């Protein structure tokens, strides 16, 4: 039997948020002791804990970077090792969680060393020397006390106030806390004697995926699925913003809430030829699509007003919409069960090295290689440099910023070094409304020739829809505020014209989101960057990323593992097309 | 598409406690309580030993491939004898019953054997298929969709028939008059929305669908969607609370069999 390490058995890997129990316990412990968590940068906290431990001031684990040999490319990192020490001191001020967790360890040890008073036994009564005079001399009492320390659960016992047998102490939390600590001490655990680093990402990872959305998780899934040996590749997914429940093992099968009702695209006179062409391509690839005239459309869907419609294409089989959140959850669950590590943090810096090379024709080219990714923790200045071999940019609407961090686009315009990643966030609204006389259960996802679209949502005559604004009307992507005037002026007129029942409707709610809009040709960027050799892109799909995520994930995983696309050829979508000016225009962005 | 939860129960009685080996095999028929306990023991071991986890995954994969094998398409039979014979062979092999036009119902006997005398009915279309309880899935439906004169299809209690399968049924729209989906655990109201293509349908049974979130409302919407069809299913007032004087009226409005 091959035993799993305790980390794998616990399911879970560094990067989990520390148990709040421990944090609360720590905070209260320290509060009682009178230390402050919000100390000024000056390592007051570490000094206090050093005092209680009786060991000299510890060097933080990150400062080990200075030990690296100067010749290596890490020399650049060595310089900032000191910097990390400085920032580490600062985090003592802000990272209450990060520092607070080591306090119970320190305090616990301190208490073991010092004499205890008011150790609470399992029965809940105290057994100090004072209340048990029958028990014999002080040595016996001390022996008893020591035994109770070992057998009882009072390792993290608080001060004198608890010796009345208060049941407000959280025994279950304490027990699981201690179990966790013992597990981490045993071989295979991630015990760091100086600090608790369970909330930080690991120090090394083969592949770092920036962005934990559907594309990032898809790449992670395929990397784990296509690796040659089980556990061959360590993958870390860094996601800046997710508030959700982490997966549970042995789950019921994934239910995507797929509605196979199909898409209905309507075309006016001028779009009819393009639509026929598109349908031809779709049929070649095996899609079951049918073309309908206005007459057939009226027979099938009597609630449509076919004025201005010349042709309609309707997907018959395996076409419809599903819940992207379910897909994300399912992917996250599966990918975690395959051993991918997660980290809640933000990528703030790339440490890379450059090499000057000459091409065959004698031109000089500077190739860059990323060596470290700095992952900053949420709401803290603490960061962890993660050494990695490959970085995958799946950061969606913020991929442009990540690319800039890697130095892509820093050069004279018109050259390859000066070509930026043309992906920027674009705000889009979605509105949910109720219309009691609206179309029934058979309503497909209707996309009007004007660009407005809607679909049925649930069983209660609710509908969801919107319209993409034109270039001139692009809203400001600085915030996610919804403009209800946009619905009144730009969306509703088209909807009411196409479906007369929508003349009376009531908007129930609305929200906004970002498209990772590719300003060059609205199609995705896939594959490595020609100059930054170990950064791979999987972004820029301008609203179509969800449907293309599984395929793109596989393509990028194959590119990483094999060096070229195997199953599907995505060479037209490489980064170099921005420099060469070869557009692969996507027309059907809704 | 993942295997339904029911299939995992099959794994537990066979492999309770990996290291105990053969002794565990003897307990193949375990009552419900033991099954659940067996699963947690297996889960416990699978969490700690890579071997047990790999074995568990292998057994699960084997179950899935068994269903896959049952639903392979009989291209040879189709080419040699035509689509009707291929469909009939497929259904009989799965354990269902088939009725040719002008003939009696044919079904396999208790041991799964059936006579091959229907091979002479090459030109006779299949009129009705009863695939209740069969392990027919999305791929297997291929064999049935070629039956252009099929009038009655029963997919009651099929564990692998789901919304995706329903979206393929539009190909039978020309002839299908009777469809039964009662008791299918994976069919939800989203799949029922695809049935609006079946305009010739006269009888539709959608009772006892556990995955439908709101059976009463769904029935109303399906009735609106298919005006010429008699929809059997949940009583539409099921979700409503009746006053005491209305209770007696309710019994009069019973569901036709």
């Amino acid at each position: 039997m091959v035993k799993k390490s305790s980390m794998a058995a616990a399911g879970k890997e560094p990067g989990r948020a520390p148990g709040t129990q421990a944090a609360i316990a720590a905070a209260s412990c320290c509060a009682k002791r009178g230390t402050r968590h919000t100390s000024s940068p000056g390592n007051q906290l570490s000094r206090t804990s050093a005092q209680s431990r009786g060991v000299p001031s510890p060097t933080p684990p990150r400062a080990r970077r200075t030990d690296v040999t100067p010749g290596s490319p890490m020399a650049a990192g060595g310089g900032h090792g000191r910097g990390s020490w400085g920032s580490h001191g600062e985090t003592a001020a802000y990272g209450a969680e990060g520092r607070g967790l080591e306090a119970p360890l320190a305090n616990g040890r301190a208490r073991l060393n010092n004499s205890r008073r008011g150790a609470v036994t399992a029965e809940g009564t105290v057994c100090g020397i004072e209340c048990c005079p029958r028990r014999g001399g002080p040595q016996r009492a001390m022996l008893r006390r020591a035994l109770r320390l070992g057998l009882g659960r009072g390792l993290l016992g608080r001060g004198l106030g608890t010796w009345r047998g208060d049941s407000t102490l959280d025994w279950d939390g304490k027990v699981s806390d201690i179990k966790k600590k013992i597990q981490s001490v045993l071989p295979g655990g991630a015990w760091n004697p100086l600090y608790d680093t369970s909330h930080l990402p690991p120090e090394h990872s083969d592949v770092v995926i920036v962005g934990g959305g559907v594309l990032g998780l898809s790449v992670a899934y395929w990397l784990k699925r296509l690796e040659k040996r089980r556990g061959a590749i360590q993958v870390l997914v860094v996601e800046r913003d997710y508030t959700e429940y982490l997966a549970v093992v042995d789950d019921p099968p994934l239910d995507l809430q797929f509605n196979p009702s199909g898409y209905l695209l309507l075309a006016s006179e001028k779009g009819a030829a393009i639509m026929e062409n598109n349908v031809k391509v779709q049929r070649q690839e095996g899609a079951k699509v049918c073309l309908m005239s206005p007459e057939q459309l009226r027979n099938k869907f009597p609630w449509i007003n076919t004025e201005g419609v010349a042709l309609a294409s309707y997907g018959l089989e395996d076409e419809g919409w599903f819940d992207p959140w379910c897909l994300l959850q399912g992917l996250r669950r599966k990918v975690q069960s395959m051993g991918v590590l997660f980290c809640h943090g933000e990528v703030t810096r790339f440490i890379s090295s450059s090499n000057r090379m000459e091409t065959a024709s004698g031109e000089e080219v500077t190739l860059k290689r990323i060596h470290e990714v700095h992952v900053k923790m949420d709401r803290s200045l603490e960061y962890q440099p993660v050494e990695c071999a490959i970085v995958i940019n799946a950061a969606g609407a913020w991929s442009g910023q990540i690319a800039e961090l890697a130095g892509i686009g820093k050069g004279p315009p018109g050259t390859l070094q000066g070509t930026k990643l043309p992906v920027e966030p674009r705000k889009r609204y979605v509105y949910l409304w109720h219309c009691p006389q609206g179309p029934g259960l058979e309503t497909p996802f209707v996309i009007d020739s004007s660009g407005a679209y809607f679909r049925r949502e649930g069983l209660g005559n609710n509908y969801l829809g919107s319209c993409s604004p034109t270039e001139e009307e692009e809203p400001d992507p600085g915030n996610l505020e919804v403009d209800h005037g946009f619905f009144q002026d730009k969306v509703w007129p088209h909807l009411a014209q196409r479906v007369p029942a929508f003349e009376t409707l009531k908007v129930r709610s609305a929200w906004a989101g970002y498209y990772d809009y590719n300003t060059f040709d609205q199609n995705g960027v896939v594959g490595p960057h020609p100059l930054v050799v170990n950064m791979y892109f999987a972004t820029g799909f301008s609203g179509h990323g969800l449907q293309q995520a599984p395929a793109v994930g596989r393509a990028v995983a194959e590119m990483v593992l094999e060096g070229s696309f195997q199953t599907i050829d995505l060479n037209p979508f490489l980064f170099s097309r921005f420099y060469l000016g070869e557009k692969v225009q996507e027309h059907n962005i809704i | 598409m993942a295997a339904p939860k029911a299939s995992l129960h099959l794994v537990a009685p066979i492999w309770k406690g990996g290291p105990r080996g053969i002794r565990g095999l003897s307990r193949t028929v375990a009552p419900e309580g033991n099954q659940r306990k067996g699963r947690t023991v297996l889960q416990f071991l699978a969490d700690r030993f890579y071997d047990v986890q790999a074995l568990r995954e292998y057994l699960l994969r084997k179950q899935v491939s068994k269903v896959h094998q049952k639903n392979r398409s009989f291209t040879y039979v189709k080419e040699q004898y035509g689509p009707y014979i291929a469909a009939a062979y497929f259904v009989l092999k799965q354990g269902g019953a088939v009725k040719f036009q002008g003939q009696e119902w044919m079904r396999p006997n208790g041991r799964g054997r059936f006579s091959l005398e229907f091979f002479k009915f090459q030109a006779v279309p299949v009129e009705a298929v009863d695939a209740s309880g069969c392990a027919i899935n999305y791929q297997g439906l291929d064999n049935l969709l070629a039956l252009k004169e099929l009038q009655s299809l029963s997919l009651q209690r099929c564990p692998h028939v789901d919304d995706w399968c329903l979206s393929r049924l539009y190909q039978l729209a020309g002839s299908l008059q009777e469809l039964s989906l009662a008791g299918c655990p994976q069919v939800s109201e989203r799949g029922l929305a695809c049935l609006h293509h079946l305009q010739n349908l006269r009888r539709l049974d959608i009772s006892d669908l556990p995955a439908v979130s709101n059976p009463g409302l769904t029935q109303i919407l399906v009735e609106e969607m298919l005006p010429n069809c008699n929809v059997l299913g949940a009583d539409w007032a099921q979700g409503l609370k009746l006053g005491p004087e209305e209770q007696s009226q309710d019994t009069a409005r019973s569901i036709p069999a």
Side-chain angles (χ1 to χ4, degrees):
Chain A
M1 287 283 176
V2 179
K3 187 173 187 313
K4 291 186 182 177
S5 74
S6 53
M7 289 306 297
K12 323 335 177 175
E13 30 286 337
R16 267 220 169 179
T20 43
Q21 305 281 4
I24 295 170
S28 57
C29 268
C30 288
K32 281 217 155 58
R33 293 195 119 232
T35 59
R36 287 172 299 147
H37 276 262
T38 53
S39 57
S40 55
N43 303 334
Q44 181 164 349
L45 194 60
S46 56
R47 257 187 272 128
T48 319
S49 31
Q51 279 166 11
S52 67
R53 261 184 260 134
V55 299
S57 260
T59 45
R62 290 173 230 85
R64 269 189 253 129
R65 303 252 155 241
T66 48
D67 296 337
V68 175
T69 56
S72 73
M74 298 286 289
H80 83 273
R82 235 174 297 119
S84 76
W85 167 243
S87 71
H88 177 72
E90 282 163 62
T91 57
Y94 298 97
E97 274 192 345
R99 305 311 265 105
L101 280 176
E102 50 109 4
L105 198 62
N107 293 337
R109 286 226 197 83
R111 291 224 163 81
L112 275 175
N113 294 334
N114 306 334
S115 66
R116 288 181 69 93
R117 207 176 287 213
V120 186
T121 64
E123 301 88 71
T125 56
V126 83
C127 181
I129 307 174
E130 298 86 23
C131 41
C132 302
R134 295 175 279 146
R135 297 277 160 102
Q139 281 120 345
R140 239 167 141 192
M142 269 172 65
L143 177 65
R144 194 143 291 152
R145 212 186 304 142
L147 277 175
R148 285 214 173 81
L149 276 179
L151 301 173
R153 291 188 270 177
L155 270 178
L156 290 176
R158 301 183 189 180
L160 293 164
T162 57
W163 61 284
R164 287 179 211 283
D166 255 322
S167 57
T168 51
L169 284 168
D170 183 10
W171 289 122
D172 292 323
K174 296 270 166 54
V175 167
S176 66
D177 222 25
I178 292 163
K179 273 196 202 157
K180 216 166 63 161
K181 289 215 180 76
I182 292 175
Q183 257 181 358
S184 65
V185 170
L186 292 176
W191 188 46
N192 189 316
L194 303 177
Y195 313 100
D196 185 2
T197 50
S198 58
H199 61 295
L200 292 174
E203 290 177 8
H204 310 270
S205 180
D206 291 324
V207 180
V208 172
I209 301 182
V210 183
V214 82
L215 269 173
L217 292 184
S218 174
V219 177
Y221 170 77
W222 283 108
L223 277 173
K224 278 315 225 179
R225 164 102 178 249
L226 296 176
E227 62 186 1
K228 293 289 187 315
R229 201 174 45 84
R230 196 197 178 103
I233 303 189
Q234 257 181 307
V235 183
L236 171 73
V237 174
V238 180
E239 169 56 46
R240 180 164 64 177
D241 172 29
Y242 60 171
T243 47
E244 52 95 17
Y245 316 99
L246 292 181
V248 177
V249 197
D250 214 42
D251 300 323
L254 179 64
D255 177 20
L256 280 182
Q257 310 275 314
F258 177 59
N259 281 266
S261 296
Y263 270 51
L264 177 69
L265 286 108
L266 305 174
S268 58
E269 286 283 343
K270 35 191 196 76
I274 304 175
M275 174 171 278
E276 276 193 44
N277 227 3
N278 289 345
V279 166
K280 201 158 75 144
V281 170
Q282 287 160 9
R283 280 189 179 146
Q284 267 170 4
E285 299 301 322
K288 308 280 192 296
V289 190
C290 75
L291 283 167
M292 291 163 68
S293 68
E295 177 81 33
Q296 289 168 322
L297 202 57
R298 270 194 296 273
N299 284 340
K300 193 127 189 123
F301 303 114
W303 37 264
I304 287 191
N305 168 20
T306 54
E307 186 190 322
V309 175
L311 194 59
S313 89
Y314 182 41
L316 293 169
E317 200 177 294
D318 299 343
E319 200 180 71
W321 62 91
F322 62 91
D323 184 6
W325 186 245
C326 290
L327 179 64
L328 200 65
Q329 300 295 78
L331 262 179
R332 204 194 289 275
R333 199 179 66 183
K334 175 66 182 173
V335 141
Q336 266 185 327
S337 80
M338 287 164 116
V340 169
L341 308 177
F342 274 82
C343 167
H344 186 180
E346 186 182 342
V347 170
T348 46
R349 201 166 165 202
F350 290 117
I351 306 293
S352 48
S353 70
S354 306
N355 260 326
R356 276 210 166 123
M357 320 266 283
E358 236 181 60
T359 63
S361 50
E363 245 175 71
E364 238 196 33
V365 146
T366 313
L367 293 180
K368 245 182 167 180
R369 182 162 210 106
I370 299 176
H371 291 280
E372 265 184 22
V373 179
H374 283 193
V375 179
K376 179 176 101 74
M377 293 298 114
D378 197 34
R379 287 181 309 234
S380 142
L381 284 182
E382 197 178 10
Y383 71 91
Q384 166 79 322
V386 179
E387 235 183 306
C388 62
I390 287 171
V391 175
I392 299 189
N393 186 352
W398 300 273
S399 320
Q401 297 166 14
I402 297 290
E404 269 178 33
L405 283 181
I408 294 173
K410 295 209 175 92
T415 60
L416 188 53
Q417 299 95 296
T419 318
K420 298 195 208 292
L421 180 70
V423 174
E424 60 181 37
R426 289 277 174 102
K427 188 157 83 161
R428 294 287 177 266
Y429 308 110
V430 178
Y431 304 91
L432 177 73
W433 65 86
H434 173 73
C435 175
Q437 305 303 325
L441 197 59
E442 74 278 6
T443 318
F445 192 119
V446 180
I447 305 176
D448 189 32
S449 41
S450 58
Y453 61 88
F454 74 92
R455 66 159 172 88
R456 174 181 60 83
E457 169 66 33
L459 295 176
N461 278 106
N462 293 317
Y463 304 90
L464 199 143
S466 182
C467 168
S468 271
T470 56
E471 283 287 341
E472 300 81 41
E473 307 162 337
E474 274 295 339
D476 170 33
N479 57 34
L480 280 177
E481 308 258 319
V482 177
D483 179 10
H484 290 276
F486 181 75
F487 182 77
Q488 295 276 97
D489 304 327
K490 300 284 187 292
V491 185
W492 197 359
H494 297 296
L495 290 178
Q497 203 252 331
R498 192 53 65 208
V499 180
F502 281 161
E503 269 158 26
T504 47
L505 60 79
K506 187 167 160 54
V507 176
R508 285 272 159 90
S509 77
W511 60 90
Y514 290 122
Y515 273 9
D516 48 347
Y517 196 80
N518 181 346
T519 47
F520 186 72
D521 56 9
Q522 287 87 59
N523 240 327
V525 191
V526 181
H529 188 273
L531 296 179
V532 182
V533 296
N534 60 351
M535 170 168 269
Y536 293 78
F537 295 105
T539 176
F541 290 95
S542 318
H544 286 185
L546 182 63
Q547 67 199 52
Q548 297 171 340
V552 170
R554 181 165 191 157
V556 174
E558 282 170 358
M559 187 53 131
V560 166
L561 294 173
E562 319 277 342
S564 63
F565 295 119
Q566 311 279 329
T567 339
I568 173 169
D569 179 20
L570 294 182
N571 282 309
F573 298 102
L574 290 174
F575 182 92
S576 35
R577 75 183 195 269
F578 302 133
Y579 171 60
L580 299 170
E582 291 163 0
K583 286 196 179 187
V584 187
Q585 187 70 37
E586 173 62 61
H587 298 277
N588 298 333
I589 301 287
I590 54 158
Chain B
M1 280 196 278
K5 211 198 285 204
S7 63
L8 283 174
H9 283 296
L10 294 171
V11 184
I14 303 173
W15 264 108
K16 269 168 38 158
R20 278 203 309 236
I22 307 293
R23 254 190 306 151
L25 280 173
S26 61
R27 281 193 261 167
T28 40
V29 181
E32 182 57 50
N34 265 11
Q35 254 186 1
R36 210 163 292 140
K37 218 175 106 188
R39 252 179 71 190
T40 46
V41 168
L42 201 63
Q43 186 54 45
F44 177 81
L45 286 170
D47 273 343
R48 277 146 188 79
F49 295 103
Y50 284 122
D51 309 339
V52 179
Q53 186 187 36
L55 184 72
R56 200 156 177 259
E57 282 173 9
Y58 167 72
L59 289 169
L60 210 63
R61 271 201 316 268
K62 243 181 82 162
Q63 273 188 321
V64 171
S65 73
K66 219 162 68 168
V67 172
H68 198 72
Q69 168 72 356
K70 272 195 174 176
N71 281 283
R72 65 194 188 279
S73 54
F74 298 96
T75 34
Y76 176 73
V77 180
K78 208 175 197 167
E79 280 163 29
Q80 288 286 83
Y81 300 99
Y84 305 126
I85 306 297
Y89 184 67
F90 168 71
V91 174
L92 289 168
K93 202 98 168 95
Q94 290 251 345
V98 77
K99 181 179 188 304
F100 282 88
Q101 217 170 51
Q103 303 290 326
E104 293 298 318
W105 279 97
M106 286 186 220
R107 54 182 76 235
N109 66 7
R111 287 207 262 135
R113 298 268 177 86
F114 51 91
S115 77
L116 295 177
E117 53 160 39
F118 62 91
F119 269 68
K120 57 185 193 276
F121 296 139
Q122 282 193 36
V124 183
V126 173
E127 202 174 59
V129 164
D130 177 11
S132 309
C134 296
I136 187 172
N137 73 358
Y138 182 84
Q139 271 87 26
L141 215 52
D142 269 338
N143 295 308
L144 292 183
L145 294 174
L147 301 171
K148 294 301 172 210
E149 285 90 1
L150 187 68
Q151 288 178 10
S152 158
L153 176 60
S154 168
L155 294 170
Q156 294 188 15
R157 298 179 310 278
C158 290
H160 302 284
V161 164
D162 56 9
D163 297 335
W164 298 79
C165 295
L166 293 189
S167 82
R168 296 187 87 186
L169 289 181
Y170 72 92
Q171 299 179 42
L172 301 172
S175 58
L176 196 67
Q177 292 178 11
E178 190 179 324
L179 175 64
S180 170
L181 296 168
C184 289
Q186 295 198 53
V187 170
S188 73
E189 69 270 17
R190 301 178 287 276
L192 294 178
C194 311
L195 295 180
H196 75 279
H197 293 281
L198 305 173
Q199 288 301 325
N200 283 323
L201 208 59
R202 298 289 170 259
R203 242 179 79 100
L204 174 64
D205 185 358
I206 50 172
S207 50
D208 190 24
L209 291 174
V212 169
S213 52
N214 200 332
L217 181 57
T218 309
Q219 166 145 4
I220 299 178
L221 292 173
V222 171
E223 278 174 6
E224 271 178 26
M225 193 171 78
L226 295 169
N228 300 325
C229 181
N230 180 14
V231 180
L232 308 168
D235 190 0
W236 66 267
Q238 194 180 335
L240 305 174
K241 273 201 262 215
L242 294 173
E245 62 279 355
E246 288 170 330
Q247 299 249 356
S248 49
Q249 288 176 16
D250 188 31
T251 49
R253 214 183 30 214
S254 57
I255 307 167

